[in-house]
Amino acid sequence: MKKLMIYGATGYTGRMAAEQAWTLGLDLVIAGRNAEKLLALATQLDVPYRVFSADGPVDLTDIGVLLNFAGPFAQTAEPLMKACITAGVDYLDITAEINVYRLAERLGAQAAEAGVMLLPGVGWDVVPTDCLALHVARRVQNPQSLKVALQVAGSMSRGSAMSVGEIIGAGLLARVDGQLVATPEAQPQDFDFGDGPALCAPLSFGDLVTGWHSTGIPNIAMFVHISGDAFPEGDLSQLPDGPSVQQREAHRARAVAEVTGADGRVARSVIETVNGYSYTPLAAVEAARRVLGGERRGGFETPGRVFGMGFAESIAGTTITDF
């Protein structure tokens, strides 16, 4: 079996993923730009490391899967995807940035020809929402529209805050009759995560791409409910790496999906799990382990299509409730 490379392994979430991969006994190589930090982590875990920039020469010798944790992914995904296609290495990441999914779509045919899988979004977004969309879609006849809302509670990591900037910069989008279109006049809507209606703002997450590929539903809109101190302001570089263990344990993650069938019937389901920052390294490393074990297809893929509808619930502490 070839090795797993975690790129961005010394970051907040990347370090948790590296520790999880080590715990599972995966044949691991860590990588990134900072030699000093990599040496310290490599010494702690007793694993090899490689130092390179995403846009420089990328050493993927003996690597089977590259799992990218280095955001903003608008800066790292394209060069790493292209390096993976050239080297015959499957690419995974944890981004919510929609433009990375659009990039993976565009590179999908080239990747398929090379026998390489491009699988962005193997963390909190989009694993739970992708699997949830598949689950709810089966509850109606001839599903025509999908609405997904994420609940973001608690503090945000510095890396996530920077990625949110990329998401906002992409503009408001929705999928209408199968096509991504600009929806600058989109309005907030109420969604019930289980505690009554909560006002959610439209935002262009990667599910606008993955939901279409996974379910075939032609009309998709994305929303987010941010509470407390979740959305930081000011100089993002001054933010802490991420929430503490205690902060993560205080805020579980939830998302809701609503699907409308051709007859007008609406089905709604809610997924709840551990905090997104706890969920992401668990799901991402499990996805990488499965890909290394042969659960893969060439080209652009989604978590729900590759691993099945039940993948999100394979992470401990995850439940889906139908309404």
Side-chain angles (χ1 to χ4, degrees):
M1 181 180 291
K2 288 192 173 183
K3 299 176 181 179
L4 165 65
M5 174 179 281
I6 293 181
Y7 187 79
T10 61
Y12 175 72
T13 313
R15 176 180 289 271
M16 289 191 284
E19 292 171 348
Q20 174 67 7
W22 179 86
T23 298
L24 294 180
L26 299 182
D27 198 350
L28 175 66
V29 177
I30 61 172
R33 295 181 301 174
N34 190 308
E36 184 178 355
K37 290 182 178 180
L38 283 167
L39 174 60
L41 182 58
T43 302
Q44 173 193 328
L45 298 179
D46 191 23
V47 299
Y49 71 97
R50 299 177 191 175
V51 183
F52 59 84
S53 173
D55 57 0
V58 177
D59 183 2
L60 296 176
T61 306
D62 297 326
I63 302 300
V65 171
L66 185 147
L67 178 51
N68 180 18
F69 282 85
F73 295 86
Q75 299 175 13
T76 63
E78 183 167 5
L80 290 177
M81 283 184 190
K82 289 181 175 178
C84 284
I85 291 171
T86 299
V89 172
D90 290 329
Y91 172 93
L92 283 64
D93 70 30
I94 60 161
T95 190
E97 299 169 29
I98 187 170
N99 284 336
V100 173
Y101 294 85
R102 300 173 78 179
L103 168 68
E105 274 188 314
R106 293 195 298 272
L107 294 176
Q110 184 182 349
E113 187 175 348
V116 167
M117 181 166 66
L118 302 179
L119 182 62
V122 292
W124 159 246
D125 195 55
V126 299
V127 167
T129 46
D130 196 44
C131 293
L132 186 66
L134 281 165
H135 173 88
V136 186
R138 295 191 177 192
R139 298 180 56 206
V140 303
Q141 294 291 327
N142 193 11
Q144 293 298 303
S145 70
L146 165 67
K147 295 178 181 179
V148 178
L150 300 174
Q151 185 180 57
V152 178
S155 58
M156 191 178 291
S157 74
R158 182 170 61 244
S160 292
M162 295 171 70
S163 274
V164 167
E166 295 290 340
I167 295 168
I168 293 172
L172 289 180
L173 301 167
R175 191 166 292 276
V176 180
D177 295 332
Q179 302 297 315
L180 274 181
V181 299
T183 55
E185 305 302 320
Q187 297 298 308
Q189 296 186 26
D190 283 325
F191 291 88
D192 190 344
F193 296 93
D195 298 322
L199 191 62
C200 300
L203 201 62
S204 304
F205 285 106
D207 302 81
L208 293 173
V209 177
T210 57
W212 162 244
H213 285 275
S214 293
T215 69
I217 296 174
N219 300 288
I220 304 174
M222 287 293 303
F223 300 84
V224 63
H225 174 73
I226 297 175
S227 62
D229 58 351
F231 193 77
E233 296 178 347
D235 184 358
L236 299 183
S237 68
Q238 300 303 308
L239 290 173
D241 285 346
S244 67
V245 173
Q246 293 77 16
Q247 288 172 322
R248 295 202 308 267
E249 289 177 348
H251 299 284
R252 288 175 62 81
R254 293 188 291 183
V256 58
E258 295 181 357
V259 173
T260 303
D263 60 359
R265 180 176 178 270
V266 178
R268 177 171 65 92
S269 296
V270 173
I271 191 165
E272 180 175 338
T273 187
V274 295
N275 185 274
Y277 290 109
S278 300
Y279 187 96
T280 290
L282 297 174
V285 171
E286 175 61 14
R289 186 191 69 81
R290 294 189 185 199
V291 175
L292 283 167
E295 293 185 49
R296 58 179 303 282
R297 290 195 293 266
F300 168 64
E301 277 299 341
T302 70
R305 290 207 310 186
V306 175
F307 306 126
M309 184 173 61
F311 178 57
E313 293 174 281
S314 73
I315 307 303
T318 307
T319 58
I320 291 178
T321 304
D322 296 332
F323 294 92

